[in-house]
Amino acid sequence: MFIGDGMGVATLTAARIYDGQQRGKDGASNRLSFETFPHLALSQTYSADGLVTDSAAGASAILTGHRTLNGALGVDDRVRRGDCASVKSSSVPTLAEMARRKGLAAGVVSTAAITDATPASLYAHTPSRQWQSDADLPPEAVAEGCKDIARQMLDGPKALQLDVMLGGGQAAFTPSEGTGKRLDGRDLTAEWRASGGAYVETGTAMAAVPKGTKRLLGLFAPGNMMRENARGATQTDAPRLTDMTVKAIEILSQSKQGYFLMVEGALIDKAHHLSLAHEALTETVELSKAVAAAVAMTDPKDTLIIVTADHSHGLTINGGMRDTSILGLLPGNDDDPAKAMDGKAIPILMYASGPGAPPVGELRPDLTDVDTADPDLRNFAAVPLYSAAHTGEDVATYATGPGAERVHGLMDHPAVFQVMREALGLPAD
């Protein structure tokens, strides 16, 4: 399962064009790796309490088969927001937990903190996605005996623990006396090593993990990992999404019973929230490369691969000629004027909301002499928000391999879970 966080249809279209243009090809006729998959559906993304889902509820629906409240993980709609006591009666098994109970291997890869909403939806059962370390727990949650998300990841029964966990979020696992956040003094990475698992913090170390390693934890940043443009510019020793995906498959495929792997392209969403369209497109292409690597390493006769999104974002594509950079401005023709009614250039990409909006009371800027290919450029947004809002339209779901034919038409997110459950031969919960 590949989840492009915030990877709506407009993002896919723009990334397809961007990818082709970057390689000197016609972007409009280009295809991302998974856009060649034979089966396609639209998936509904609403949560149990909202027309628009957040990542926690969206990923939980995909990975548990149950819709829940925005902000909750691994629970159904009986949970009460911020109420630990309600978790016991509302907790539902995740696909990874079901796979582990059957003896399959399971893993997660993300470019976000591994305790962030989407990766945490594989192993955490909590009324709040914010409780990533014990430092994030409110006093009443501590009094009720709540476990933070990082602790749930490494503190549960070994038989149900994930075999491979690769991403960011080191601070939630290590003590505040050092570089971490934990107030209980525990170093969960040391506990993982003591239990026989390998632990790495750099791309070089991950590449050097010996063949035959069965359990691997890799935490490559204190919080979210760097976006690819920044990682490349700084030459930071951290793996790319493709590197982590390949390593996870190498380890998990040793399981004779089979395996389940969830890979999240998390920084698509993180860039969209900041009105950074260039960065979001780059991260979408990175996800496409990871999918291509997975396809190359697996047998289509026995491996189901699904690519989808938890929700969409308010990116729009306003026009442009076939040879116009998707990051640029409308060149102008009979159908698309080069200037808007305010006399200023029209960007091809813009957002419905976000920090790219001009300051309150000011007019939008003239982009004519602006470098629109600058990765740090905040794209224009119509409604000023500190963080761009998710949007509620359906997202695309692509599938190939055994059971892929069940991905078609209009589906609910929980129905995508059922496709994976049946492909793995897991019983209904």
Side-chain angles (χ1 to χ4, degrees):
M1 164 55 70
F2 287 84
I3 296 179
D5 199 318
M7 191 175 68
V9 172
T11 299
L12 288 168
T13 304
R16 174 197 312 149
I17 296 169
Y18 171 76
D19 175 53
Q21 291 179 342
Q22 291 294 105
R23 293 185 290 110
K25 297 184 177 181
D26 172 41
S29 61
N30 184 47
R31 295 289 185 272
L32 298 173
S33 64
F34 49 86
E35 291 183 316
T36 63
F37 286 6
H39 298 280
L40 172 66
L42 289 177
S43 295
Q44 297 169 285
T45 63
Y46 59 91
S47 68
D49 61 341
L51 293 175
V52 179
T53 189
D54 80 325
S55 293
S60 288
I62 297 169
L63 294 163
T64 72
H66 295 269
R67 280 199 162 85
T68 189
L69 309 184
N70 283 338
L73 291 164
V75 289
D76 61 24
D77 59 4
R78 294 172 294 176
V79 74
R80 295 186 296 275
R81 199 177 306 281
D83 183 353
C84 277
S86 68
V87 171
K88 185 175 182 180
S89 60
S90 63
S91 183
V92 289
T94 74
L95 193 68
E97 291 169 338
M98 295 169 69
R100 293 292 290 129
R101 286 194 181 100
K102 192 184 175 184
L104 283 71
V108 61
V109 166
S110 178
T111 45
I114 211 71
T115 49
D116 200 20
T118 302
S121 67
L122 273 184
Y123 60 86
H125 305 272
T126 177
S128 176
R129 61 179 286 183
Q130 304 300 330
W131 298 351
Q132 296 190 33
S133 80
D134 64 330
D136 303 317
L137 292 173
E140 56 272 19
V142 175
E144 293 176 1
C146 286
K147 288 186 178 181
D148 60 85
I149 292 172
R151 186 177 167 194
Q152 289 188 47
M153 182 175 176
L154 297 183
D155 213 17
K158 189 172 181 179
L160 294 184
Q161 286 181 358
L162 299 177
D163 301 280
V164 177
M165 295 157 284
L166 303 173
Q170 185 187 83
F173 294 86
T174 53
S176 59
E177 288 81 0
T179 58
K181 292 175 55 179
R182 299 199 65 82
L183 301 179
D184 57 10
R186 294 177 63 177
D187 184 340
L188 298 179
T189 64
E191 295 178 23
W192 171 261
R193 291 193 299 269
S195 71
Y199 173 65
V200 295
E201 296 182 348
T202 65
T204 300
M206 187 186 78
V209 169
K211 289 185 177 180
T213 297
K214 298 293 182 65
R215 301 174 70 232
L216 175 64
L217 171 64
L219 301 174
F220 306 106
N224 298 324
M225 293 180 68
M226 280 185 171
R227 294 190 295 272
E228 180 54 28
N229 281 328
R231 188 203 66 81
T234 59
Q235 294 296 298
T236 299
D237 188 4
R240 300 173 72 164
L241 184 62
T242 298
D243 302 328
M244 294 189 288
T245 301
V246 168
K247 180 59 68 175
I249 293 174
E250 287 175 352
I251 294 174
L252 296 174
S253 61
Q254 297 175 94
S255 169
K256 295 180 180 180
Q257 301 300 316
Y259 65 90
F260 169 71
L261 172 65
M262 193 279 284
V263 177
E264 182 198 22
L267 303 182
I268 303 168
D269 173 77
K270 308 298 184 189
H272 276 324
H273 277 299
L274 297 173
S275 297
L276 296 174
H278 186 171
E279 295 281 55
L281 302 189
T282 299
E283 295 301 321
T284 304
V285 173
E286 287 296 301
L287 180 70
S288 176
K289 292 176 181 177
V291 174
V295 169
M297 294 180 70
T298 55
D299 187 337
K301 295 179 181 178
D302 62 20
T303 305
L304 171 65
I305 300 178
I306 297 178
V307 182
T308 192
D310 47 356
H311 58 77
S312 186
H313 259 283
L315 183 71
T316 61
I317 305 171
N318 293 322
M321 304 299 289
R322 291 282 285 267
D323 59 355
T324 306
S325 168
I326 189 67
L327 301 173
L329 307 172
L330 294 192
N333 56 40
D334 291 342
D335 297 318
D336 295 312
K339 303 288 184 181
M341 293 174 66
D342 60 2
K344 297 176 182 177
I346 304 169
I348 292 176
L349 298 179
M350 59 177 283
Y351 287 94
S353 67
V360 176
E362 294 187 17
L363 300 176
R364 75 182 184 96
D366 189 342
L367 300 174
T368 302
D369 296 320
V370 172
D371 179 10
T372 57
D374 182 354
D376 295 324
L377 174 70
R378 292 190 192 272
N379 292 72
F380 175 75
V383 176
L385 292 176
Y386 291 114
S387 177
H390 299 171
T391 52
E393 67 266 27
D394 304 335
V395 297
T397 299
Y398 305 83
T400 187
E405 68 279 357
R406 295 187 62 232
V407 174
H408 64 89
L410 181 62
M411 304 179 69
D412 266 352
H413 265 161
V416 178
F417 166 86
Q418 297 299 341
V419 173
M420 294 187 290
R421 180 188 64 77
E422 292 188 14
L424 289 170
L426 302 173
D429 60 353

